[in-house]
Amino acid sequence: MGQIMAVVATEANRQTVAGGAPIFIADDANHQQQVAFKLEKILDAAAHDLENGIVILVKH
């Protein structure tokens, strides 16, 4: 089973995320994709777009 390493949400979805993983807030969807891509490489994790304005990074 994987472990959630980080969450990247857009500013509009700021209130919908909480929990134990680090949460990064992006200005818009483009910025969100940029942040998720960089974190994916840094954390050696897989980015999964939940298609609701939230991307999670999971270490498998």
Side-chain angles (χ1 to χ4, degrees):
M1 178 179 265
Q3 177 183 3
I4 297 176
M5 303 297 292
V7 178
V8 185
T10 58
E11 183 68 40
N13 293 311
R14 165 175 269 197
Q15 301 301 323
T16 62
V17 293
I23 300 169
F24 296 86
I25 305 299
D27 298 328
D28 55 33
N30 185 44
H31 185 227
Q32 179 188 38
Q33 292 300 317
Q34 291 174 352
V35 171
F37 177 75
K38 289 176 185 172
L39 287 173
E40 187 176 30
K41 302 301 179 201
I42 293 167
L43 298 173
D44 191 27
H48 299 278
D49 188 351
L50 301 182
E51 297 183 5
N52 62 351
I54 298 172
V55 175
I56 59 173
L57 288 106
V58 180
K59 183 89 165 188
H60 293 286

